[in-house]
Each structure stands twice: as C-alpha cells, then as structure tokens.
Amino acid sequence: MTSHHSGRELRNEILDDVYSSSDLLKQLPKVHFPKAERDPRHVFAAVRDELMLDGNSRQNLATFCQTWVDDEIQNLMSLSIDKNMIDKDEYPQTAEIEARCVHMLADLWNSPDPQGTLGCSTVGSSEAAMLGGLALKWQWRAKRKAAGLPADKPNMICGPVQICWHKFARYFDVELREIPLEGDRLIMNPEEVLKRVDENTIGVVPTLGVTFTCQYEPVKAVSDALDELQRETGLDIPIHVDGASGAFLAPFCVPALEWDFRLPRVKSINTSGHKFGLAPLGVGWVVWREADDLPKELIFDVNYLGGDMPTFALNFSRPGGQVIAQYYNFLRLGREGYRKIHTACYETAQFLAKEIGKIGPFEILFDGDSRDGIPALCWKLKEEQGIGGYTLYDLADRLRSRGWQVPAYSMPADRQDLVIQRILVRHGVSYDLACLLIDDIRRSVEFFAQHPVTLPMTPDEAAGFNHN
Ligand SMILES: *Cc1c(COP(=O)(O)O)cnc(C)c1O
C-alpha cells in the first residue's frame, strides 16, 4: 500500500532533518489540544528551542535558587525520576534518606537531641513555613483552650517577610503584624516586636536573610527581649525562624552566631534546600526543636500505601530526587565543603559591592558581610536619578540587553519610597563573571550619560522580575 506523499514530505524522509520536517514547518499548537501525534525528535527540538527564550539562568542574579549542579546530581536526579516522596513504604530507602537529612539539619542547627527531633522535607520554604506557622497556631490554641480563654484572634509578628507568610496569614486566618520599616531600619528589632506582642501572639518570625535587603534579622536579641517579657508578664512567645537562605549559610560561615536551637525559644526552623542547600529546585525543610513542639493533631497516619506512615505535609505526591540530591550534598560537601563554596560567594559579593560603590552614583545598603546577611548585595541611587535621568528600573532594563537579570524594586511599608537593586551571589556566580557584570554596569551608566532617558521607567513597566 502506498500512502500519498507530497514532494516536501518525501524529501524530508530522505533528509531526516528536524527543522525542515513537516512537523516544524508550521506553527505548533498553542491553545487547542493537538489532534495528531508528532515525531518525538521534532517536538523535543521545538520545546528545547522555546526554552532558550527563558534566558540564561546563570545570569539571573534575582533568584536565590540553585542554577548550577554537578554531574553526579544530574545522574541521581535521573535515577530517581520514579520515586514518590509520599510512598514511604514503597520507597523505604528514600524515606530513610529524608529522615537522615532531618537529623543532620537538626544537628547543624544545634538541636539538643538531633536523633529525637521531628521534621520533614517539603516542596520548598513556602510549604515548610506553612507547616511551621500551623504548628505555632495549634500550640497557641491548645494553650488558650486549656486556660479557658478565647482562641479566635491569633496574630503573628514579623519584619519584612517573604510573600509565603502573607499567604500563611490569609489562608490560615492569622493576623499578620508586619513591623513597618523606618528610616535606615530595614529589618525588625526587639523594641518593635515588643510593641506588638500580646496574649494572642502565636509566635514571632524573624528572617535569616530578608528577601528585600538580604540582611539577617537579630534572632538572639529578639529572643532575649522575649525572655525578659516572660519574666515580667508570664507571656511565653515562641519563635519560628525563616531561614530559607540563612539556615544553610550561618552554620558554615558564622558558626558563632546564635540564631538556632541554641536559643530555647526557637521552636522551629524552615529552609530551602534548593537555595543555599545547593540541591536542585523542589526541596525545603522544616524541623522542630523537640517532638513536643509539633502538635500531634497535625500528623496524619496514612495506611493505604501499604504501611503505617505518619505524614505532615500539604502535598501528597512529590518527587524524591531532590531529597536524594540533598543527602548527596551533605555527604559530598560536609561542613567544610559548604563553607568553601559559600565563602567564595561571600567574597564575590563583597568584591561586587566595593566595585559597584566605586562607579559613583550608587550607595551600597548591604555589602555581603557574612555576619550580617547572605552572599548578596543591594544598593540605591544616591540621587533620585542618575546622570542622564535614569532610575534603577532603567538600569535593570539596560542590563537585560546583555542577559543579566538584576532586579530593581521598591521596599515594603513604610519605605515604599526607597527603590533598591539587588544581586544574589550563588554557587557558580564566579569572580570572573562578576568582573564582566561590573563592566556592563559601568557601560550602562556611561550609556545613559550619553543618551539621556526622556521618560524614566515606572515600577509597573519594570514589573516582572521575581523577588523569590
Ligand atoms: C525564598 C524564600 C521563601 C520561599 O521559599 P521557596 O523555597 O521559594 O518556597 C521564604 N522565605 C524567605 C526568606 C525566602 O528567601
């Protein structure tokens, strides 16, 4: 039986070329579900090519997330493509690896009993934060009910938090008392926390590596102030630390900084494995100080997968590869390896801060000092506009033409007037890449001086950069 071939199709069969195939000589479906099947090679090429437009993630200096992994991680991810984190009975060794990671993190964060702590992996810090927040809410409610007091107006106190805490507050009906910024104070301090605490406070959430400026909030000072408050009033307010970035940095680079379970008031900590934990995208962690800090009512026992397994998570099915890659990193790097990698990042961040400061129009707000924050830097314009009338939004846009993503954004309340620009230095943002970026910033500033901006960009036009 001969099928009808057009001349073009016949030619393609002989040529066997992807781009001149009949599949790819027309626009691919974008709305309607495709009718027919296509050659996998052709579709692969088309999809891969479309991904080029995402830009080069290594030049994305906006993200905190890992954009470089070694070949061993690639291989482990590929080996674990079928592993479902929730099927703890079917994949007992993956479950065992998750448990080991929890103990190791508890140890890294100076838990009094790393073997006995409870914790779990999550999709990222957002889910981990929800679980930490829920535990605080449940603990507070149990205490109120036991005392015969109303438990319908919970509140939580924080500084300038990542959006996941706004979600937590709204989804789970908790009043968020976010401390407004004031002048040069761009993070929380103990005095502002104490002003907002009351009997309905489920907890205080300091961030170790604030999203906007990358600074560490003063966990110990806040904890000390709450100790004093308890002595005076009897109010016992727990702390959950959002260590999305910092919990994988401070233990290696500033081990003397007390922010973790060394402070008895710190009841739980969340972190993102896929940020400075150096794992591929899709893993976070939450660990409780002691088993009693996680209310039993939040734990579900699932038996229909074949075993009796306690789970505490918002998700059900979830890939296991990221957890396996995390464990690989712990074994591969140890404290020593993490310290080396992160120290290199801090040095590059400090170098960038020094050189960007030297260009002239910028004032560095955070310079990548490892005692004060994460390997990153941020700055503002000294004047409202630079020579040539540009704003940081224009500069961000100009740098995009060379592939760099260096976001500019305004601060939260009460400093919405302050516009800053930020660079995250992650594994793989090398010293040499930093030098190339500095040249491009200098060239951009010169460009604006020669080609003045007639209409500076507005925040809305510049929107689209992520702040994660
Ligand atoms: C990134 C980040 C989050 C959210 O973490 P994901 O892992 O992206 O879900 C929460 N808090 C802080 C401080 C962060 O930096």
Side-chain angles (χ1 to χ4, degrees):
M1 212 170 71
T2 54
S3 62
H4 175 82
H5 283 294
S6 73
R8 183 187 261 170
E9 278 167 6
L10 203 56
R11 194 179 71 229
N12 285 333
E13 267 177 27
I14 297 162
L15 252 180
D16 196 25
D17 175 68
V18 171
Y19 294 101
S20 56
S21 67
S22 56
D23 279 341
L24 298 195
L25 282 174
K26 47 184 177 284
Q27 202 184 149
L28 291 165
K30 301 211 165 31
V31 177
H32 296 292
F33 201 92
K35 264 204 205 76
E37 54 190 346
R38 290 181 171 76
D39 186 310
R41 279 171 63 236
H42 302 168
V43 176
F44 177 81
V47 174
R48 180 198 56 205
D49 291 357
E50 183 152 357
L51 294 180
M52 291 191 304
L53 302 184
D54 274 341
N56 177 1
S57 65
R58 300 278 303 280
Q59 282 184 292
N60 176 2
L61 304 179
T63 185
F64 293 66
C65 296
Q66 224 11 68
T67 50
W68 186 88
V69 293
D70 62 23
D71 292 343
E72 285 75 13
I73 288 189
Q74 302 266 11
N75 287 340
L76 284 172
M77 288 297 285
S78 166
L79 284 172
S80 356
I81 198 154
D82 57 344
K83 296 199 189 294
N84 189 347
M85 211 58 243
I86 197 76
D87 281 352
K88 293 181 198 293
D89 201 56
E90 190 172 347
Y91 306 109
Q93 221 46 36
T94 300
E96 162 68 18
I97 284 175
E98 180 193 29
R100 287 180 202 162
C101 287
V102 168
H103 297 318
M104 287 183 186
L105 285 173
D107 181 46
L108 187 67
W109 298 334
N110 296 293
S111 149
D113 175 22
Q115 181 78 43
T117 45
L118 286 180
C120 59
S121 67
T122 58
V123 174
S125 272
S126 303
E127 187 190 2
M130 305 281 161
L131 300 180
L134 280 171
L136 289 180
K137 185 176 170 182
W138 254 248
Q139 294 289 64
W140 165 81
R141 199 166 49 192
K143 225 162 64 179
R144 296 284 291 172
K145 288 199 166 146
L149 294 164
D152 56 347
K153 286 200 163 50
N155 70 69
M156 190 198 104
I157 298 168
C158 60
V161 274
Q162 209 265 357
I163 186 151
C164 70
W165 291 104
H166 291 262
K167 288 186 178 175
F168 166 73
R170 199 174 306 169
Y171 295 169
F172 298 106
D173 222 358
V174 173
E175 179 201 346
L176 197 68
R177 298 189 174 166
E178 192 171 1
I179 299 168
L181 311 180
E182 193 185 348
D184 291 339
R185 182 183 56 72
L186 303 177
I187 53 177
M188 71 161 57
N189 67 14
E191 297 74 41
E192 295 299 321
V193 169
L194 289 184
K195 279 186 205 165
R196 289 166 180 79
V197 172
D198 61 29
E199 56 182 14
N200 290 319
T201 302
I202 64 169
V204 177
V205 177
T207 302
L208 212 64
V210 168
T211 309
F212 304 93
T213 58
C214 301
Q215 294 162 292
Y216 288 161
E217 291 193 309
V219 185
K220 180 162 192 326
V222 168
S223 175
D224 289 347
L226 292 172
D227 287 349
E228 185 60 32
L229 177 82
Q230 185 172 5
R231 274 192 293 273
E232 283 167 11
T233 67
L235 273 185
D236 182 7
I237 311 287
I239 291 177
H240 170 94
V241 179
D242 181 352
S245 298
F248 265 119
L249 289 158
F252 307 117
C253 300
V254 274
L257 186 73
E258 286 180 56
W259 64 274
D260 53 14
F261 295 129
R262 277 168 287 184
L263 306 171
R265 198 168 288 283
V266 172
K267 302 299 183 196
S268 47
I269 297 170
N270 72 270
T271 195
S272 296
H274 52 224
K275 291 184 176 175
F276 293 89
L278 307 178
L281 268 177
V283 61
W285 299 94
V286 57
V287 177
W288 283 270
R289 180 187 171 77
E290 286 168 85
D292 285 348
D293 294 317
L294 175 59
K296 301 293 160 284
E297 308 91 294
L298 290 174
I299 299 174
F300 283 78
D301 282 308
V302 178
N303 59 19
Y304 49 82
L305 292 173
D308 228 349
M309 294 291 163
T311 81
F312 181 30
L314 299 182
N315 276 74
F316 194 66
S317 295
R318 181 159 60 83
Q322 288 82 344
V323 168
I324 290 162
Q326 184 80 85
Y327 182 60
Y328 162 81
N329 274 337
F330 289 179
L331 299 186
R332 151 87 180 88
L333 297 171
R335 289 177 196 252
E336 191 185 356
Y338 270 105
R339 187 180 49 75
K340 275 188 196 156
I341 287 169
H342 293 336
T343 301
C345 293
Y346 275 113
E347 282 170 6
T348 300
Q350 289 158 17
F351 166 71
L352 273 165
K354 206 167 80 218
E355 293 302 313
I356 289 172
K358 276 190 211 158
I359 295 174
F362 311 116
E363 180 183 331
I364 304 295
L365 298 175
F366 174 64
D367 67 355
D369 187 326
S370 59
R371 290 163 298 186
D372 300 327
I374 70 175
L377 56 144
C378 64
W379 63 88
K380 64 171 188 172
L381 271 171
K382 286 178 187 163
E383 315 284 331
E384 201 168 317
Q385 292 172 357
I387 295 168
Y390 68 93
T391 64
L392 292 181
Y393 298 115
D394 295 300
L395 179 56
D397 188 55
R398 182 88 205 140
L399 289 170
R400 271 255 185 178
S401 67
R402 289 275 289 172
W404 303 110
Q405 296 186 45
V406 188
Y409 48 88
S410 59
M411 292 294 291
D414 286 338
R415 285 302 318 268
Q416 297 97 326
D417 59 300
L418 176 62
V419 175
I420 71 176
Q421 196 162 20
R422 182 193 72 193
I423 290 176
L424 257 297
V425 181
R426 304 179 304 278
H427 195 196
V429 179
S430 66
Y431 191 90
D432 195 58
L433 266 185
C435 293
L436 299 175
L437 171 63
I438 291 162
D439 288 345
D440 281 335
I441 295 179
R442 234 184 242 119
R443 261 197 293 271
S444 301
V445 167
E446 283 160 18
F447 174 89
F448 289 127
Q450 276 156 23
H451 306 276
V453 175
T454 42
L455 206 56
M457 278 178 81
T458 65
D460 286 346
E461 287 166 336
F465 284 118
N466 69 74
H467 290 187
N468 65 341

